[in-house]
């Protein structure tokens, strides 16, 4: 009698078990970023920005096991898209009425001129195309959130994302301290100053910090103008997906056609529409609005964990120069547009 041998397959690792190490590490990085807000310098930075730096520092000094890779990857990609979509609940179309049609036109002009100028300047300087797109999005729209949204369709290296966030942080922080000084030099009234801040400073937190130094009217005008730029994140990302991000070889494929408008951007627009119409109960909206920055911070921490300092050094000085030129450009364009206002 012959006995057939039975091969017993090793038990499969559950999805929870495979993602857990990375997600726990990302949670620790996120908590550290929020904890840093208690320190003097870091209190001026968004936790999103702190998280990417903490993640980079941890990955390049302490390091982590390959078992964490799966959880880090899901936090840096799927969680990122979810968080960007949920930003829609923080916006209403009615908020934009504060700066009027002319202010909206100025915001669109500043965004488009800066984006295309940065792409052109990046080509002239020989900066990598995907890193250029991240810098263009971060400078022209809303800093780290725009870089996150753009990266969801450009699929740049984690090192590119970290480099772009570092540049936006540097020049946005400089702007936060320089713009209030320039208000007196340029003799700008509160509304004009606030509009200039909203049209040209990178991060929302930096806009708040610089805007309210010019008074309540300046601060409120700055925030509304900034919201106008944030609302334009959706059409910008759609434009990237349609015309820039996808390889030419994919353009004829059905799958590329389906992904022409990213799902998370559709979600962003739908949630903004629902929020504008008042259909989202406050008891549902409030906890989601509170959780969204935490999710974005976690996603940024995951991107930081995927960054290698050696790869950052390989980017060289040119992307930093590009970011400086783009930041100066949007400041000048914003000031010219403000001076055109009645």
């Amino acid at each position: 009698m012959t006995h057939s041998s039975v091969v017993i397959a090793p038990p499969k690792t559950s999805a929870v078990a495979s993602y857990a190490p990375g997600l726990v590490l990302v949670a620790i990085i996120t908590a550290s970023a929020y904890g840093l807000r208690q320190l003097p310098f870091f209190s001026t930075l968004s936790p999103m920005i702190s998280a990417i730096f903490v993640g980079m520092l941890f990955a390049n000094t302490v390091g982590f096991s390959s078992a964490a890779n799966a959880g880090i990857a899901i936090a840096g990609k799927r969680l990122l898209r979810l968080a960007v979509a949920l930003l829609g609940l923080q916006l209403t179309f009615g908020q934009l009425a504060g700066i009027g049609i002319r202010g909206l036109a100025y915001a669109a002009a500043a965004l488009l001129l800066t984006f295309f100028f940065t792409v052109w300047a990046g080509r002239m300087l020989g900066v990598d195309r995907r890193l250029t797109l991240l810098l263009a999005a971060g400078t022209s729209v809303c800093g780290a959130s725009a870089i996150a949204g753009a990266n969801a369709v450009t699929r740049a290296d984690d090192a590119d994302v970290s480099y772009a966030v570092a540049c936006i942080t540097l020049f946005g922080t400089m702007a936060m301290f320089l713009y209030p000084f320039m208000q007196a030099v340029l003799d700008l009234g509160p509304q004009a100053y606030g509009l200039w801040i909203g049209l040209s400073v990178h991060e929302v937190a930096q806009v708040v910090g610089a805007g309210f130094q010019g008074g309540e009217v300046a601060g409120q005008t700055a925030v509304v103008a900034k919201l106008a730029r944030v609302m334009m994140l959706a059409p910008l990302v759609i434009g990237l997906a349609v015309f820039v991000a996808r390889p030419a070889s994919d353009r004829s494929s059905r799958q590329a056609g389906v992904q022409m408008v990213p799902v998370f951007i559709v979600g962003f627009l739908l949630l903004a529409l629902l929020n504008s119409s008042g259909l989202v109960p406050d008891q549902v909206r409030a906890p989601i609005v509170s959780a969204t920055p935490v999710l974005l911070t976690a996603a940024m921490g995951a991107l930081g964990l995927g960054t290698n300092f050696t790869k950052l050094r390989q980017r060289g000085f040119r992307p930093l120069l590009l970011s400086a030129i783009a930041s100066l450009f949007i400041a000048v364009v914003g000031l010219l547009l403000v001076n055109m206002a009645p």
Side-chain angles (χ1 to χ4, degrees), residues 82-210:
L82 172 63
V84 173
L86 292 176
L87 284 173
L89 283 177
Q90 299 184 32
L91 302 169
T92 67
F93 297 111
Q95 289 170 318
L96 306 183
I99 57 172
I101 297 298
R102 188 186 293 269
L104 289 174
Y106 288 167
L111 187 153
L112 290 171
L113 288 170
T114 302
F115 184 85
F116 287 112
F117 170 81
T118 307
V119 171
W120 171 81
R123 190 179 299 121
M124 294 298 101
L125 288 171
V127 177
D128 176 78
R129 175 171 165 270
R130 294 188 178 187
L131 178 52
T132 295
L133 291 174
L134 295 182
L135 289 170
T139 305
S140 62
V141 188
C142 54
S145 298
I147 291 170
N151 184 56
V153 293
T154 59
R155 297 183 178 89
D157 259 1
D158 287 353
D160 286 337
V161 176
S162 298
Y163 196 118
V165 169
C167 289
I168 292 300
T169 303
L170 172 63
F171 295 110
T173 303
M174 288 173 61
M176 187 170 63
F177 292 106
L178 288 174
Y179 275 51
F181 169 75
M182 294 301 294
Q183 180 187 12
V185 174
L186 297 169
D187 193 27
L188 294 173
Q191 191 156 10
Y193 171 71
L195 184 57
W196 184 38
I197 293 287
L199 292 179
S200 53
V201 175
H202 304 333
E203 284 280 334
V204 174
Q206 294 161 352
V207 166
V208 171

Side-chain angles (χ1 to χ4, degrees), residues 81-341:
R81 292 181 175 91
L82 172 63
V84 173
L86 292 176
L87 284 173
L89 283 177
Q90 299 184 32
L91 302 169
T92 67
F93 297 111
Q95 289 170 318
L96 306 183
I99 57 172
I101 297 298
R102 188 186 293 269
L104 289 174
Y106 288 167
L111 187 153
L112 290 171
L113 288 170
T114 302
F115 184 85
F116 287 112
F117 170 81
T118 307
V119 171
W120 171 81
R123 190 179 299 121
M124 294 298 101
L125 288 171
V127 177
D128 176 78
R129 175 171 165 270
R130 294 188 178 187
L131 178 52
T132 295
L133 291 174
L134 295 182
L135 289 170
T139 305
S140 62
V141 188
C142 54
S145 298
I147 291 170
N151 184 56
V153 293
T154 59
R155 297 183 178 89
D157 259 1
D158 287 353
D160 286 337
V161 176
S162 298
Y163 196 118
V165 169
C167 289
I168 292 300
T169 303
L170 172 63
F171 295 110
T173 303
M174 288 173 61
M176 187 170 63
F177 292 106
L178 288 174
Y179 275 51
F181 169 75
M182 294 301 294
Q183 180 187 12
V185 174
L186 297 169
D187 193 27
L188 294 173
Q191 191 156 10
Y193 171 71
L195 184 57
W196 184 38
I197 293 287
L199 292 179
S200 53
V201 175
H202 304 333
E203 284 280 334
V204 174
Q206 294 161 352
V207 166
V208 171
F212 280 95
Q213 289 187 58
E216 191 70 21
V217 172
Q220 290 176 357
T221 304
V223 170
V224 173
K226 183 61 177 178
L227 284 175
R229 286 168 66 197
V230 174
M231 288 290 274
M232 294 171 192
L233 173 62
L236 177 71
V237 172
I238 291 170
L240 283 174
V242 174
F243 298 110
V244 181
R246 292 176 292 110
S249 60
D250 289 346
R251 293 190 182 183
S252 60
S253 70
R254 291 183 180 179
Q255 184 179 1
V258 171
Q259 294 178 349
M260 195 171 287
V261 180
V263 174
F264 73 95
I265 287 298
V266 174
F268 174 93
L269 292 171
L270 287 175
L271 289 175
L273 184 62
L274 287 171
N275 195 38
S276 300
S277 61
L279 294 176
V280 183
D282 192 57
Q283 58 265 37
V284 173
R285 178 184 171 277
I288 295 175
V289 167
S290 299
T292 300
V294 180
L295 296 179
L296 275 171
T297 300
M300 284 296 174
L303 293 174
L305 287 168
T307 301
N308 186 296
F309 281 160
T310 302
K311 289 184 178 180
L312 278 183
R313 286 195 296 270
Q314 289 171 354
R315 268 61 179 174
F317 176 73
R318 290 182 183 182
L320 183 65
L321 176 61
L322 173 62
S323 184
I325 293 170
S327 298
L328 180 61
F329 181 86
I330 197 170
V332 172
V333 167
L335 186 59
L336 291 174
L337 291 170
V338 165
N339 286 331
M340 290 170 56

Side-chain angles (χ1 to χ4, degrees), residues 11-23 67-72 74 78:
K12 292 183 178 180
T13 306
S14 70
V16 174
S18 62
Y19 292 136
L23 291 176
N69 288 339
I72 292 170
I74 200 170
R78 295 184 187 179

